[in-house]
Amino acid sequence: MQKLRARVWGSVLALVLAVGLAGCGGGGGDSGGTPAADLNATGFWENPLNGATAAGNMTQTGGNVTAYLLLPPMGMGNLIGTMNGYHMDFTMAWDSGSSESGTGNFVFVNNSVDKLVFQGNLPSVGDFEISWRGPSFEEHDPAGVPLSYTPPAPTW
């Protein structure tokens, strides 16, 4: 009788585990939202903001975006976002320990420097805009333009 009970509980446990994994995507990974087909947010981003400079690196994986950004006057923080089309909902976890939610949109523009812009909003920062500047800090455009940050940004 105990062996039968153990087999039944083992079968029930295996079934519950299988259903749970299937509900979570089964280990295949969730790509988050659905970005617009021509949108690639990965790279180095920068623009003036609140009398200083906003900057940082973004990485897009499917419909998920992660970034470590300097957004004056708040400072540095980790962004985690989900894209739907050109729209992104995100959470900003500041190095100071606080966090907040924000939203924004990626916009393509027709000029030689700002080809892709993210226009966002955070309660502590207000409206902000950062532009894609290249694949990395070392390979940003316009090349050779000195970058200065207040407060000082870490070296990427």
Side-chain angles (χ1 to χ4, degrees):
M1 185 68 158
Q2 285 181 340
K3 287 183 181 179
L4 179 60
R5 229 182 273 165
R7 285 185 188 158
V8 169
W9 281 113
S11 297
V12 169
L13 181 60
L15 180 62
V16 168
L17 188 57
V19 169
L21 286 175
C24 294
D30 184 6
S31 64
T34 306
D38 57 349
L39 183 55
N40 181 0
T42 298
F44 176 69
W45 294 74
E46 177 192 51
N47 252 11
L49 176 63
N50 297 322
T53 302
N57 289 306
M58 280 192 196
T59 303
Q60 177 186 340
T61 304
N64 296 319
V65 172
T66 57
Y68 189 56
L69 298 176
L70 168 65
L71 293 177
M74 288 300 293
M76 301 294 299
N78 287 298
L79 176 145
I80 298 174
T82 302
M83 300 165 58
N84 286 301
Y86 294 100
H87 180 79
M88 182 168 72
D89 292 315
F90 62 94
T91 299
M92 190 71 173
W94 299 106
D95 286 354
S96 65
S98 64
S99 65
E100 60 187 317
S101 296
T103 62
N105 294 299
F106 290 93
V107 179
F108 286 101
V109 293
N110 239 356
N111 93 27
S112 63
V113 176
D114 295 344
K115 294 183 173 118
L116 179 60
V117 172
F118 179 71
Q119 298 169 331
N121 179 279
L122 283 165
S124 65
V125 174
D127 292 331
F128 67 91
E129 183 175 288
I130 52 177
S131 300
W132 189 88
R133 294 290 188 214
S136 68
F137 175 79
E138 294 78 18
E139 302 173 77
H140 73 277
D141 183 31
V145 174
L147 304 174
S148 60
Y149 303 95
T150 304
T155 302
W156 283 283

